Each structure stands twice: as structure tokens, then as C-alpha cells.
Amino acid sequence: EEVSEEVEKSSDGFTVFKGVLADLASTAIKAVVSGLKDMAGAVVDAYKDFDDGMDNIIKMTGATGDAAKDLQEAYKGAAGSVVADMGDIGSAVGEVNTRFGITGQGLEDLSVKFLKFADLNGTDGTSSIDSVQAAMAAFGVETSSAGDVLDILNQAAQNTGVPMDQLTSSLLTNGTALQEMGFGINTAVGFLSGLEKSG
């Protein structure tokens, strides 16, 4: 009788245990399926963001065929080098290509520099590219020196607290007069940022 009672208790206990295991398994499976759905959704969203960035490049450059493929490679490289919105990265790559006429690794590198420059200075990437390129053109600075110009502008803005938009605008407005006085872009940036700081 005692053995019979113990077997019955064990059997009941095992039945409860089986039910608990089934509930746990069911919950775990639901969590895994939900996680997979979330992950799939995130992958789709990431692809859409990536695709939006590429669309921005095509809109800005009108590139097709091999030219579009080259721009896409620069875009992929830039996207892997900087943390930014994919649309902004695409716009930067397209704008740098349009403004400076470069492709390949040079395009990727300069796009990343401009994205970091815009982030550091709290400015819009595309307008930063436009204003810096216009200032470089006004002073006859070659594309190969764009990284140096960005460094000079960053240093001047940090040393003086002058907003970048204000500094590049002053370069454009006063570029001709400063060049007539013998200023290059380096000295012009230092001179103008000092004036702006002094009021």
C-alpha cells in the first residue's frame, strides 16, 4: 500500500513536472520566434536605411552603371567607417563626388572626413561640403588639400568658439580682399576667426 501510494504521488508529480516543462518550452519557443521576428524586422529596416542612402547618391549625381557601382563601393566603405544616419552618409558621398569630382578611395576618405567635421561642428554635412568647397575654390586650394583645410577650420573654431557656418561665410565674403592682401586660406582662417572672436 505504501509503495502504491508513493508511486501514485510520483506519477502525479511527474505529470505536473511535464506540464511545467511544456510551459517553459512553449514560452522559450515563443521568445525565440519573437526575437527572430524582431531581428528580421531590424534587418529589413537597416536595408531600407542603406538603400535610402544609395538613393540619395543617385539623386545627387545621376550616376548609372559602373559609375553608380563605384559610388556604391565608396558609400559602403564610408558607412563602415563612421557612425551616422545612412541617408546622411549617402548625401555626403554624393555631394563630395559632385563638388570635388573624385571617386574611389579618395571619395570614401573625404566623405568620412566631412561627416566627422559636420558632427564635430554641429553642422549639416551637405552644407558643410558646399561651403568648404566654395571657400577652397575662392582661394585656389586643390582637392588634395581638403583634409588639411578641414583641420585648420576645426582648430580655429575650437580655439575661438566661432561657429563654423559663420567662419566659412566670412571666408567667402572676404576672400577676394584677403587674397589681395596676400593671405592664403590658412592665414585667412586664423585672421577671420580672431576678428570674429574679438567682435
Side-chain angles (χ1 to χ4, degrees):
E1 286 178 11
E2 287 177 11
V3 169
S4 176
E5 285 175 14
E6 290 304 321
V7 167
E8 199 172 316
K9 286 180 189 174
S10 296
S11 178
D12 291 344
F14 184 66
T15 301
V16 170
F17 181 62
K18 284 195 309 187
V20 169
L21 278 180
D23 286 346
L24 286 172
S26 173
T27 302
I29 290 168
K30 286 177 187 173
V32 168
V33 169
S34 176
L36 289 172
K37 285 180 183 176
D38 291 346
M39 186 173 71
V43 168
V44 169
D45 289 345
Y47 176 76
K48 285 179 182 175
D49 288 344
F50 181 84
D51 193 49
D52 288 346
M54 193 59 209
D55 289 346
N56 286 352
I57 294 172
I58 300 305
K59 284 178 198 170
M60 297 176 95
T61 63
T64 58
D66 289 340
K69 286 179 185 174
D70 289 344
L71 292 174
Q72 185 174 29
E73 288 305 311
Y75 170 57
K76 286 179 187 176
S81 301
V82 68
V83 177
D85 177 79
M86 296 302 257
D88 292 343
I89 295 171
S91 294
V93 170
E95 194 68 11
V96 168
N97 172 259
T98 301
R99 284 290 194 157
F100 292 92
I102 56 175
T103 57
Q105 191 63 47
L107 172 60
E108 178 184 327
D109 293 344
L110 190 54
S111 298
V112 168
K113 287 178 184 177
F114 268 109
L115 286 161
K116 290 179 178 178
F117 174 83
D119 182 55
L120 183 65
N121 292 291
T123 58
D124 174 68
T126 304
S127 62
S128 291
I129 295 163
D130 293 347
S131 60
V132 171
Q133 188 276 331
M136 288 174 60
F139 281 86
V141 178
E142 298 290 324
T143 298
S144 58
S145 298
D148 295 333
V149 172
L150 293 178
D151 290 341
I152 292 162
L153 288 166
N154 273 328
Q155 185 177 8
Q158 289 173 2
N159 289 345
T160 62
V162 175
M164 188 56 63
D165 293 337
Q166 190 175 335
L167 186 55
T168 53
S169 177
S170 291
L171 271 175
L172 289 171
T173 304
N174 301 297
T176 304
L178 291 171
Q179 286 179 78
E180 287 174 1
M181 295 187 304
F183 284 67
I185 195 164
N186 297 5
T187 51
V189 168
F191 177 70
L192 289 172
S193 61
L195 285 179
E196 295 286 355
K197 182 181 179 182
S198 301

